[in-house]
Structures are given as C-alpha cells and as structure tokens.
Amino acid sequence: MKKTTMLRKLFQAPGFVSLPVVYDAMSARIAETVGFKALFLAVSATSEAQLGLPGLGLATATEVIYFAKCTAN
C-alpha cells in the first residue's frame, strides 16, 4: 500500500491522530519505535537542530527538502 494511502486512511479513521514533532532521522526513529503511525517534521526545529539557525524561515526550500528526504529514509 502506498504511504499516501496509509496516511489518508489514518486521518479518515475515527478519533484523534497524535503526531509527534521530529527534526532529524534519530527523533523520527524514536517516534516510530514507540508506536507513532505518522510524524510531523517541523521546519523551525529542523532549522535549529541542523543549521544552528533560529526557526524564522531562514532555511531555504532546498535545505528543507533535503532534511525531509533524509528523515524519511
């Protein structure tokens, strides 16, 4: 099943969906290990953790896409 289909089914199910905020591959792996079905990649947290920049939109779109790909793999 495609991941987009899995996410759509998760959001269509009754009840709440709890999404932990992750900022790198390690935090994503921890959230996955404890049982979360989906994650939220916060750009501000990623910018602070990976680049050492304040979360004020200073990360470029290219950097954000790169961090998202690294976290998803």
CSV table of all heavy atoms in Angstrom, one decimal:
chain,number,residue,atom,x,y,z
A,1,MET,N,0.8,-1.2,0.0
A,1,MET,CA,0.0,0.0,0.0
A,1,MET,C,0.9,1.2,0.0
A,1,MET,O,1.9,1.3,0.7
A,1,MET,CB,-0.9,0.0,1.2
A,1,MET,CG,-1.8,1.2,1.3
A,1,MET,SD,-2.9,1.3,2.8
A,1,MET,CE,-3.6,-0.3,2.9
A,2,LYS,N,0.5,2.2,-0.8
A,2,LYS,CA,1.3,3.5,-0.9
A,2,LYS,C,1.2,4.2,0.5
A,2,LYS,O,0.2,4.1,1.2
A,2,LYS,CB,0.8,4.3,-2.0
A,2,LYS,CG,1.0,3.8,-3.3
A,2,LYS,CD,0.4,4.6,-4.5
A,2,LYS,CE,0.2,6.0,-4.3
A,2,LYS,NZ,-0.3,6.7,-5.5
A,3,LYS,N,2.3,5.0,0.8
A,3,LYS,CA,2.3,5.7,2.0
A,3,LYS,C,1.2,6.8,2.1
A,3,LYS,O,0.7,7.1,3.1
A,3,LYS,CB,3.7,6.3,2.3
A,3,LYS,CG,4.7,5.2,2.6
A,3,LYS,CD,6.0,5.8,3.0
A,3,LYS,CE,7.0,4.6,3.3
A,3,LYS,NZ,8.2,5.1,3.9
A,4,THR,N,0.9,7.4,0.9
A,4,THR,CA,-0.1,8.4,0.9
A,4,THR,C,-1.5,7.8,1.2
A,4,THR,O,-2.3,8.4,1.9
A,4,THR,CB,-0.2,9.1,-0.5
A,4,THR,OG1,-0.3,8.1,-1.5
A,4,THR,CG2,1.1,9.9,-0.7
A,5,THR,N,-1.7,6.6,0.7
A,5,THR,CA,-3.0,5.9,1.0
A,5,THR,C,-3.1,5.6,2.5
A,5,THR,O,-4.1,5.7,3.2
A,5,THR,CB,-3.1,4.6,0.2
A,5,THR,OG1,-3.0,5.0,-1.2
A,5,THR,CG2,-4.4,3.9,0.4
A,6,MET,N,-2.0,5.1,3.1
A,6,MET,CA,-1.9,4.8,4.5
A,6,MET,C,-2.2,6.1,5.4
A,6,MET,O,-3.0,6.0,6.3
A,6,MET,CB,-0.6,4.2,4.9
A,6,MET,CG,-0.3,2.9,4.3
A,6,MET,SD,1.4,2.3,4.5
A,6,MET,CE,1.7,2.4,6.2
A,7,LEU,N,-1.6,7.2,5.0
A,7,LEU,CA,-1.9,8.4,5.7
A,7,LEU,C,-3.3,8.9,5.6
A,7,LEU,O,-3.9,9.3,6.6
A,7,LEU,CB,-0.9,9.5,5.2
A,7,LEU,CG,-0.9,10.8,6.0
A,7,LEU,CD1,-0.5,10.7,7.4
A,7,LEU,CD2,0.0,11.9,5.3
A,8,ARG,N,-3.9,8.8,4.4
A,8,ARG,CA,-5.3,9.2,4.2
A,8,ARG,C,-6.2,8.3,5.1
A,8,ARG,O,-7.1,8.8,5.7
A,8,ARG,CB,-5.6,9.0,2.7
A,8,ARG,CG,-7.0,9.6,2.3
A,8,ARG,CD,-7.2,9.6,0.8
A,8,ARG,NE,-6.3,10.5,0.2
A,8,ARG,CZ,-5.4,10.1,-0.7
A,8,ARG,NH1,-5.2,8.8,-1.0
A,8,ARG,NH2,-4.6,11.0,-1.3
A,9,LYS,N,-5.9,7.0,5.1
A,9,LYS,CA,-6.8,6.1,6.0
A,9,LYS,C,-6.6,6.5,7.4
A,9,LYS,O,-7.6,6.4,8.2
A,9,LYS,CB,-6.4,4.7,5.7
A,9,LYS,CG,-6.9,4.1,4.4
A,9,LYS,CD,-6.6,2.6,4.3
A,9,LYS,CE,-7.3,2.1,3.1
A,9,LYS,NZ,-7.2,0.6,3.0
A,10,LEU,N,-5.4,6.8,7.8
A,10,LEU,CA,-5.2,7.2,9.2
A,10,LEU,C,-6.0,8.4,9.6
A,10,LEU,O,-6.6,8.5,10.7
A,10,LEU,CB,-3.7,7.4,9.4
A,10,LEU,CG,-3.2,7.8,10.8
A,10,LEU,CD1,-3.5,6.7,11.8
A,10,LEU,CD2,-1.8,8.2,10.8
A,11,PHE,N,-6.0,9.4,8.7
A,11,PHE,CA,-6.8,10.6,9.0
A,11,PHE,C,-8.3,10.4,8.9
A,11,PHE,O,-9.1,11.2,9.5
A,11,PHE,CB,-6.3,11.8,8.1
A,11,PHE,CG,-5.0,12.3,8.5
A,11,PHE,CD1,-4.0,12.6,7.6
A,11,PHE,CD2,-4.7,12.6,9.9
A,11,PHE,CE1,-2.8,13.2,8.0
A,11,PHE,CE2,-3.5,13.1,10.3
A,11,PHE,CZ,-2.5,13.4,9.3
A,12,GLN,N,-8.7,9.5,8.1
A,12,GLN,CA,-10.2,9.2,7.9
A,12,GLN,C,-10.7,8.4,9.1
A,12,GLN,O,-11.9,8.3,9.2
A,12,GLN,CB,-10.4,8.6,6.6
A,12,GLN,CG,-10.2,9.5,5.4
A,12,GLN,CD,-10.4,8.8,4.1
A,12,GLN,OE1,-10.4,7.6,4.0
A,12,GLN,NE2,-10.5,9.6,3.0
A,13,ALA,N,-9.9,7.7,9.8
A,13,ALA,CA,-10.4,6.8,10.9
A,13,ALA,C,-10.9,7.7,12.0
A,13,ALA,O,-10.5,8.9,12.2
A,13,ALA,CB,-9.2,6.0,11.4
A,14,PRO,N,-11.9,7.2,12.7
A,14,PRO,CA,-12.5,8.0,13.8
A,14,PRO,C,-11.4,8.2,15.0
A,14,PRO,O,-10.5,7.4,15.2
A,14,PRO,CB,-13.6,7.2,14.3
A,14,PRO,CG,-13.4,5.8,13.8
A,14,PRO,CD,-12.5,5.9,12.6
A,15,GLY,N,-11.6,9.3,15.7
A,15,GLY,CA,-10.7,9.6,16.8
A,15,GLY,C,-9.6,10.6,16.4
A,15,GLY,O,-9.6,11.2,15.3
A,16,PHE,N,-8.7,10.8,17.3
A,16,PHE,CA,-7.6,11.7,17.1
A,16,PHE,C,-6.4,11.0,16.6
A,16,PHE,O,-6.1,9.9,16.8
A,16,PHE,CB,-7.2,12.4,18.5
A,16,PHE,CG,-8.3,13.3,19.0
A,16,PHE,CD1,-9.2,12.8,20.0
A,16,PHE,CD2,-8.4,14.6,18.5
A,16,PHE,CE1,-10.2,13.6,20.4
A,16,PHE,CE2,-9.4,15.4,19.0
A,16,PHE,CZ,-10.3,14.9,20.0
A,17,VAL,N,-5.6,11.8,15.8
A,17,VAL,CA,-4.3,11.4,15.4
A,17,VAL,C,-3.2,12.2,16.1
A,17,VAL,O,-3.2,13.4,16.0
A,17,VAL,CB,-4.1,11.5,13.8
A,17,VAL,CG1,-2.8,11.1,13.4
A,17,VAL,CG2,-5.2,10.7,13.1
A,18,SER,N,-2.4,11.5,16.8
A,18,SER,CA,-1.3,12.2,17.5
A,18,SER,C,0.0,12.2,16.7
A,18,SER,O,0.5,11.1,16.3
A,18,SER,CB,-1.1,11.6,18.9
A,18,SER,OG,-0.1,12.2,19.6
A,19,LEU,N,0.5,13.4,16.3
A,19,LEU,CA,1.7,13.5,15.5
A,19,LEU,C,2.8,14.1,16.3
A,19,LEU,O,2.8,15.3,16.6
A,19,LEU,CB,1.4,14.3,14.3
A,19,LEU,CG,0.3,13.9,13.3
A,19,LEU,CD1,0.1,14.9,12.2
A,19,LEU,CD2,0.7,12.5,12.7
A,20,PRO,N,3.8,13.3,16.6
A,20,PRO,CA,5.0,13.9,17.3
A,20,PRO,C,5.8,14.8,16.4
A,20,PRO,O,5.9,14.5,15.2
A,20,PRO,CB,5.8,12.7,17.8
A,20,PRO,CG,5.5,11.7,16.8
A,20,PRO,CD,4.0,11.9,16.4
A,21,VAL,N,6.4,15.8,16.9
A,21,VAL,CA,7.3,16.7,16.1
A,21,VAL,C,8.6,16.1,16.1
A,21,VAL,O,9.2,15.8,17.2
A,21,VAL,CB,7.3,18.1,16.7
A,21,VAL,CG1,8.3,19.0,15.9
A,21,VAL,CG2,5.9,18.8,16.6
A,22,VAL,N,9.2,15.9,14.9
A,22,VAL,CA,10.6,15.4,14.8
A,22,VAL,C,11.4,16.4,14.0
A,22,VAL,O,10.9,17.3,13.3
A,22,VAL,CB,10.6,14.0,14.0
A,22,VAL,CG1,9.8,13.0,14.8
A,22,VAL,CG2,10.0,14.1,12.6
A,23,TYR,N,12.7,16.3,14.2
A,23,TYR,CA,13.6,17.2,13.5
A,23,TYR,C,14.8,16.6,12.8
A,23,TYR,O,15.6,17.3,12.2
A,23,TYR,CB,14.1,18.3,14.5
A,23,TYR,CG,14.7,17.7,15.7
A,23,TYR,CD1,16.1,17.5,15.7
A,23,TYR,CD2,14.0,17.4,16.9
A,23,TYR,CE1,16.7,16.9,16.9
A,23,TYR,CE2,14.6,16.9,18.0
A,23,TYR,CZ,15.9,16.7,18.0
A,23,TYR,OH,16.5,16.2,19.1
A,24,ASP,N,14.9,15.3,13.0
A,24,ASP,CA,16.0,14.6,12.3
A,24,ASP,C,15.6,13.1,12.2
A,24,ASP,O,14.6,12.7,12.8
A,24,ASP,CB,17.4,14.8,12.9
A,24,ASP,CG,17.5,14.3,14.4
A,24,ASP,OD1,16.5,13.7,14.9
A,24,ASP,OD2,18.5,14.4,15.0
A,25,ALA,N,16.5,12.3,11.6
A,25,ALA,CA,16.3,10.9,11.5
A,25,ALA,C,16.2,10.1,12.8
A,25,ALA,O,15.4,9.2,13.0
A,25,ALA,CB,17.3,10.2,10.6
A,26,MET,N,17.0,10.5,13.8
A,26,MET,CA,17.0,9.9,15.1
A,26,MET,C,15.7,10.1,15.8
A,26,MET,O,15.1,9.2,16.4
A,26,MET,CB,18.2,10.3,15.9
A,26,MET,CG,18.2,9.6,17.3
A,26,MET,SD,19.5,10.2,18.3
A,26,MET,CE,20.8,9.1,17.8
A,27,SER,N,15.2,11.3,15.9
A,27,SER,CA,14.0,11.6,16.5
A,27,SER,C,12.8,10.9,15.8
A,27,SER,O,11.9,10.4,16.5
A,27,SER,CB,13.7,13.1,16.7
A,27,SER,OG,13.6,13.7,15.4
A,28,ALA,N,12.9,10.8,14.5
A,28,ALA,CA,11.8,10.1,13.8
A,28,ALA,C,11.9,8.6,14.1
A,28,ALA,O,10.8,7.9,14.3
A,28,ALA,CB,12.0,10.3,12.3
A,29,ARG,N,13.1,8.0,14.2
A,29,ARG,CA,13.2,6.6,14.5
A,29,ARG,C,12.7,6.3,15.9
A,29,ARG,O,12.0,5.3,16.1
A,29,ARG,CB,14.7,6.2,14.4
A,29,ARG,CG,14.9,4.7,14.8
A,29,ARG,CD,14.3,3.8,13.8
A,29,ARG,NE,14.8,4.0,12.5
A,29,ARG,CZ,14.9,3.0,11.6
A,29,ARG,NH1,14.5,1.8,11.8
A,29,ARG,NH2,15.4,3.3,10.4
A,30,ILE,N,13.0,7.2,16.9
A,30,ILE,CA,12.5,7.0,18.2
A,30,ILE,C,10.9,7.0,18.2
A,30,ILE,O,10.3,6.2,18.9
A,30,ILE,CB,13.1,8.1,19.2
A,30,ILE,CG1,14.5,7.8,19.4
A,30,ILE,CG2,12.3,8.1,20.5
A,30,ILE,CD1,15.3,9.0,20.0
A,31,ALA,N,10.3,8.0,17.5
A,31,ALA,CA,8.9,8.1,17.5
A,31,ALA,C,8.3,6.9,16.8
A,31,ALA,O,7.2,6.4,17.3
A,31,ALA,CB,8.5,9.4,16.7
A,32,GLU,N,8.9,6.4,15.8
A,32,GLU,CA,8.4,5.2,15.1
A,32,GLU,C,8.5,4.0,16.0
A,32,GLU,O,7.6,3.1,16.1
A,32,GLU,CB,9.3,5.0,13.9
A,32,GLU,CG,8.8,3.7,13.1
A,32,GLU,CD,9.7,3.5,11.8
A,32,GLU,OE1,10.9,3.8,11.9
A,32,GLU,OE2,9.2,3.1,10.8
A,33,THR,N,9.6,3.9,16.8
A,33,THR,CA,9.9,2.7,17.7
A,33,THR,C,8.8,2.7,18.8
A,33,THR,O,8.4,1.6,19.2
A,33,THR,CB,11.3,2.8,18.3
A,33,THR,OG1,12.2,2.8,17.2
A,33,THR,CG2,11.5,1.7,19.2
A,34,VAL,N,8.4,3.8,19.3
A,34,VAL,CA,7.4,3.8,20.4
A,34,VAL,C,6.0,3.7,19.9
A,34,VAL,O,5.0,3.6,20.7
A,34,VAL,CB,7.5,5.0,21.3
A,34,VAL,CG1,8.9,5.0,22.0
A,34,VAL,CG2,7.3,6.3,20.6
A,35,GLY,N,5.8,3.6,18.6
A,35,GLY,CA,4.5,3.3,18.0
A,35,GLY,C,3.7,4.4,17.3
A,35,GLY,O,2.5,4.1,16.9
A,36,PHE,N,4.2,5.5,17.1
A,36,PHE,CA,3.5,6.5,16.3
A,36,PHE,C,3.4,6.1,14.9
A,36,PHE,O,4.3,5.6,14.3
A,36,PHE,CB,4.2,7.9,16.4
A,36,PHE,CG,4.0,8.6,17.7
A,36,PHE,CD1,5.0,8.5,18.7
A,36,PHE,CD2,2.9,9.2,18.0
A,36,PHE,CE1,4.9,9.1,19.9
A,36,PHE,CE2,2.7,9.8,19.3
A,36,PHE,CZ,3.7,9.8,20.2
A,37,LYS,N,2.2,6.3,14.3
A,37,LYS,CA,1.9,5.9,12.9
A,37,LYS,C,2.3,7.0,11.9
A,37,LYS,O,2.5,6.7,10.7
A,37,LYS,CB,0.4,5.6,12.8
A,37,LYS,CG,-0.1,4.6,13.7
A,37,LYS,CD,0.5,3.2,13.4
A,37,LYS,CE,-0.1,2.2,14.3
A,37,LYS,NZ,0.7,1.0,14.4
A,38,ALA,N,2.4,8.2,12.3
A,38,ALA,CA,2.8,9.3,11.4
A,38,ALA,C,3.6,10.3,12.2
A,38,ALA,O,3.5,10.4,13.4
A,38,ALA,CB,1.5,10.0,10.8
A,39,LEU,N,4.3,11.2,11.5
A,39,LEU,CA,5.2,12.1,12.1
A,39,LEU,C,5.0,13.5,11.5
A,39,LEU,O,4.5,13.6,10.4
A,39,LEU,CB,6.7,11.7,11.9
A,39,LEU,CG,7.0,10.3,12.3
A,39,LEU,CD1,8.5,10.0,11.9
A,39,LEU,CD2,6.9,10.1,13.8
A,40,PHE,N,5.4,14.5,12.3
A,40,PHE,CA,5.3,15.9,11.8
A,40,PHE,C,6.8,16.5,11.8
A,40,PHE,O,7.4,16.6,12.8
A,40,PHE,CB,4.4,16.8,12.7
A,40,PHE,CG,4.3,18.2,12.2
A,40,PHE,CD1,3.6,18.6,11.2
A,40,PHE,CD2,5.0,19.2,12.9
A,40,PHE,CE1,3.5,19.9,10.8
A,40,PHE,CE2,5.0,20.5,12.6
A,40,PHE,CZ,4.2,20.9,11.5
A,41,LEU,N,7.3,16.8,10.6
A,41,LEU,CA,8.6,17.4,10.5
A,41,LEU,C,8.5,18.9,10.6
A,41,LEU,O,8.0,19.6,9.7
A,41,LEU,CB,9.3,17.0,9.2
A,41,LEU,CG,10.7,17.6,9.0
A,41,LEU,CD1,11.7,16.9,9.9
A,41,LEU,CD2,11.1,17.4,7.6
A,42,ALA,N,8.9,19.5,11.7
A,42,ALA,CA,8.8,20.9,12.0
A,42,ALA,C,10.0,21.6,11.3
A,42,ALA,O,11.2,21.3,11.7
A,42,ALA,CB,8.8,21.2,13.5
A,43,VAL,N,9.7,22.5,10.4
A,43,VAL,CA,10.8,23.2,9.7
A,43,VAL,C,11.6,24.0,10.7
A,43,VAL,O,12.9,24.1,10.6
A,43,VAL,CB,10.3,24.1,8.6
A,43,VAL,CG1,11.4,24.9,7.9
A,43,VAL,CG2,9.6,23.2,7.5
A,44,SER,N,11.0,24.7,11.6
A,44,SER,CA,11.7,25.5,12.6
A,44,SER,C,12.6,24.7,13.5
A,44,SER,O,13.8,25.1,13.7
A,44,SER,CB,10.7,26.3,13.5
A,44,SER,OG,9.9,25.4,14.2
A,45,ALA,N,12.2,23.5,13.9
A,45,ALA,CA,13.0,22.7,14.8
A,45,ALA,C,14.2,22.1,13.9
A,45,ALA,O,15.3,22.0,14.4
A,45,ALA,CB,12.2,21.5,15.4
A,46,THR,N,13.9,21.7,12.7
A,46,THR,CA,14.9,21.2,11.8
A,46,THR,C,16.0,22.3,11.5
A,46,THR,O,17.2,22.0,11.6
A,46,THR,CB,14.3,20.7,10.5
A,46,THR,OG1,13.3,19.7,10.8
A,46,THR,CG2,15.4,20.1,9.6
A,47,SER,N,15.6,23.5,11.3
A,47,SER,CA,16.5,24.6,11.0
A,47,SER,C,17.4,24.8,12.2
A,47,SER,O,18.6,25.0,12.1
A,47,SER,CB,15.7,25.8,10.7
A,47,SER,OG,16.6,26.9,10.6
A,48,GLU,N,16.8,24.8,13.4
A,48,GLU,CA,17.6,25.0,14.6
A,48,GLU,C,18.5,23.8,14.9
A,48,GLU,O,19.7,24.1,15.2
A,48,GLU,CB,16.6,25.2,15.8
A,48,GLU,CG,15.8,26.5,15.8
A,48,GLU,CD,14.7,26.5,16.7
A,48,GLU,OE1,14.5,25.5,17.5
A,48,GLU,OE2,14.0,27.5,16.8
A,49,ALA,N,18.1,22.6,14.7
A,49,ALA,CA,18.9,21.4,15.0
A,49,ALA,C,20.0,21.2,14.0
A,49,ALA,O,21.1,20.9,14.3
A,49,ALA,CB,18.0,20.2,15.1
A,50,GLN,N,19.7,21.4,12.7
A,50,GLN,CA,20.6,21.0,11.6
A,50,GLN,C,21.5,22.2,11.2
A,50,GLN,O,22.7,21.9,10.9
A,50,GLN,CB,19.8,20.5,10.4
A,50,GLN,CG,19.0,19.3,10.7
A,50,GLN,CD,19.8,18.1,11.0
A,50,GLN,OE1,20.9,17.9,10.6
A,50,GLN,NE2,19.2,17.2,11.8
A,51,LEU,N,21.0,23.4,11.2
A,51,LEU,CA,21.8,24.5,10.7
A,51,LEU,C,22.2,25.4,11.8
A,51,LEU,O,23.1,26.3,11.6
A,51,LEU,CB,20.9,25.3,9.7
A,51,LEU,CG,20.4,24.5,8.5
A,51,LEU,CD1,19.5,25.4,7.7
A,51,LEU,CD2,21.6,24.0,7.6
A,52,GLY,N,21.7,25.3,13.0
A,52,GLY,CA,22.0,26.2,14.1
A,52,GLY,C,21.5,27.6,13.9
A,52,GLY,O,22.0,28.6,14.4
A,53,LEU,N,20.4,27.7,13.0
A,53,LEU,CA,19.8,29.0,12.8
A,53,LEU,C,18.5,29.1,13.5
A,53,LEU,O,17.8,28.0,13.7
A,53,LEU,CB,19.5,29.1,11.3
A,53,LEU,CG,20.7,29.1,10.3
A,53,LEU,CD1,20.3,29.1,8.9
A,53,LEU,CD2,21.6,30.4,10.6
A,54,PRO,N,18.0,30.2,13.9
A,54,PRO,CA,16.7,30.4,14.5
A,54,PRO,C,15.6,29.9,13.6
A,54,PRO,O,15.8,30.1,12.3
A,54,PRO,CB,16.6,31.8,14.9
A,54,PRO,CG,17.6,32.5,14.1
A,54,PRO,CD,18.7,31.6,13.8
A,55,GLY,N,14.5,29.4,14.1
A,55,GLY,CA,13.4,29.0,13.3
A,55,GLY,C,12.6,30.1,12.8
A,55,GLY,O,11.4,30.2,13.1
A,56,LEU,N,13.2,31.0,12.0
A,56,LEU,CA,12.5,32.2,11.5
A,56,LEU,C,12.3,32.2,10.0
A,56,LEU,O,12.2,33.2,9.3
A,56,LEU,CB,13.2,33.5,11.9
A,56,LEU,CG,13.5,33.7,13.4
A,56,LEU,CD1,14.4,34.8,13.6
A,56,LEU,CD2,12.1,33.9,14.1
A,57,GLY,N,12.4,31.0,9.4
A,57,GLY,CA,12.3,30.9,7.9
A,57,GLY,C,13.6,31.1,7.2
A,57,GLY,O,13.6,31.5,6.0
A,58,LEU,N,14.7,31.0,7.9
A,58,LEU,CA,16.0,31.2,7.2
A,58,LEU,C,16.5,30.0,6.4
A,58,LEU,O,17.4,30.2,5.6
A,58,LEU,CB,17.0,31.6,8.3
A,58,LEU,CG,16.7,32.9,9.1
A,58,LEU,CD1,17.7,33.1,10.2
A,58,LEU,CD2,16.6,34.1,8.2
A,59,ALA,N,15.9,28.9,6.6
A,59,ALA,CA,16.4,27.7,5.8
A,59,ALA,C,15.7,27.8,4.5
A,59,ALA,O,14.6,28.2,4.3
A,59,ALA,CB,15.9,26.4,6.5
A,60,THR,N,16.5,27.5,3.4
A,60,THR,CA,16.0,27.5,2.1
A,60,THR,C,15.1,26.3,1.8
A,60,THR,O,15.1,25.3,2.5
A,60,THR,CB,17.1,27.5,1.1
A,60,THR,OG1,17.8,26.3,1.1
A,60,THR,CG2,18.1,28.7,1.3
A,61,ALA,N,14.3,26.4,0.8
A,61,ALA,CA,13.4,25.3,0.4
A,61,ALA,C,14.2,24.0,0.1
A,61,ALA,O,13.9,22.9,0.4
A,61,ALA,CB,12.5,25.7,-0.8
A,62,THR,N,15.4,24.2,-0.6
A,62,THR,CA,16.2,23.1,-0.9
A,62,THR,C,16.7,22.4,0.3
A,62,THR,O,16.8,21.2,0.4
A,62,THR,CB,17.4,23.6,-1.7
A,62,THR,OG1,17.0,24.3,-2.9
A,62,THR,CG2,18.3,22.5,-2.2
A,63,GLU,N,17.1,23.2,1.3
A,63,GLU,CA,17.6,22.6,2.6
A,63,GLU,C,16.5,21.8,3.3
A,63,GLU,O,16.7,20.7,3.8
A,63,GLU,CB,18.1,23.7,3.5
A,63,GLU,CG,19.4,24.3,3.0
A,63,GLU,CD,19.8,25.5,3.8
A,63,GLU,OE1,18.9,26.2,4.3
A,63,GLU,OE2,21.0,25.8,3.8
A,64,VAL,N,15.3,22.4,3.3
A,64,VAL,CA,14.1,21.7,4.0
A,64,VAL,C,13.8,20.4,3.3
A,64,VAL,O,13.6,19.4,3.9
A,64,VAL,CB,12.9,22.7,4.0
A,64,VAL,CG1,11.7,22.0,4.5
A,64,VAL,CG2,13.2,23.9,4.9
A,65,ILE,N,13.8,20.4,1.9
A,65,ILE,CA,13.5,19.2,1.2
A,65,ILE,C,14.6,18.2,1.4
A,65,ILE,O,14.3,17.0,1.6
A,65,ILE,CB,13.4,19.5,-0.3
A,65,ILE,CG1,12.1,20.4,-0.6
A,65,ILE,CG2,13.4,18.3,-1.2
A,65,ILE,CD1,12.1,21.0,-2.0
A,66,TYR,N,15.8,18.6,1.5
A,66,TYR,CA,16.9,17.6,1.8
A,66,TYR,C,16.8,17.0,3.2
A,66,TYR,O,16.9,15.8,3.3
A,66,TYR,CB,18.3,18.4,1.7
A,66,TYR,CG,19.4,17.5,2.2
A,66,TYR,CD1,19.9,16.5,1.3
A,66,TYR,CD2,20.0,17.7,3.4
A,66,TYR,CE1,21.0,15.7,1.8
A,66,TYR,CE2,21.1,16.9,3.8
A,66,TYR,CZ,21.6,15.9,3.0
A,66,TYR,OH,22.6,15.2,3.4
A,67,PHE,N,16.4,17.8,4.2
A,67,PHE,CA,16.3,17.3,5.5
A,67,PHE,C,15.1,16.4,5.6
A,67,PHE,O,15.1,15.3,6.3
A,67,PHE,CB,16.1,18.4,6.6
A,67,PHE,CG,17.4,19.2,6.7
A,67,PHE,CD1,17.3,20.6,6.8
A,67,PHE,CD2,18.6,18.6,6.7
A,67,PHE,CE1,18.5,21.4,6.9
A,67,PHE,CE2,19.8,19.4,6.8
A,67,PHE,CZ,19.7,20.7,6.9
A,68,ALA,N,14.0,16.7,4.9
A,68,ALA,CA,12.8,15.8,4.9
A,68,ALA,C,13.1,14.5,4.2
A,68,ALA,O,12.7,13.4,4.7
A,68,ALA,CB,11.7,16.5,4.1
A,69,LYS,N,13.9,14.5,3.1
A,69,LYS,CA,14.3,13.2,2.5
A,69,LYS,C,15.2,12.4,3.4
A,69,LYS,O,15.0,11.2,3.5
A,69,LYS,CB,15.0,13.5,1.2
A,69,LYS,CG,14.1,13.9,0.0
A,69,LYS,CD,14.9,14.2,-1.2
A,69,LYS,CE,14.0,14.6,-2.4
A,69,LYS,NZ,14.8,14.9,-3.6
A,70,CYS,N,16.1,13.0,4.1
A,70,CYS,CA,17.0,12.3,5.0
A,70,CYS,C,16.2,11.7,6.1
A,70,CYS,O,16.5,10.6,6.6
A,70,CYS,CB,18.1,13.2,5.5
A,70,CYS,SG,19.3,13.7,4.3
A,71,THR,N,15.2,12.4,6.6
A,71,THR,CA,14.4,11.9,7.7
A,71,THR,C,13.5,10.8,7.3
A,71,THR,O,13.3,9.8,8.0
A,71,THR,CB,13.6,13.1,8.3
A,71,THR,OG1,14.5,14.1,8.7
A,71,THR,CG2,12.8,12.6,9.5
A,72,ALA,N,12.9,10.9,6.1
A,72,ALA,CA,12.0,9.9,5.6
A,72,ALA,C,12.7,8.6,5.3
A,72,ALA,O,12.1,7.5,5.4
A,72,ALA,CB,11.3,10.4,4.4
A,73,ASN,N,13.9,8.6,4.9
A,73,ASN,CA,14.7,7.4,4.6
A,73,ASN,C,15.2,6.8,5.8
A,73,ASN,O,15.4,5.8,6.2
A,73,ASN,CB,15.8,7.7,3.6
A,73,ASN,CG,15.3,8.1,2.2
A,73,ASN,OD1,14.2,7.7,1.8
A,73,ASN,ND2,16.0,8.9,1.6
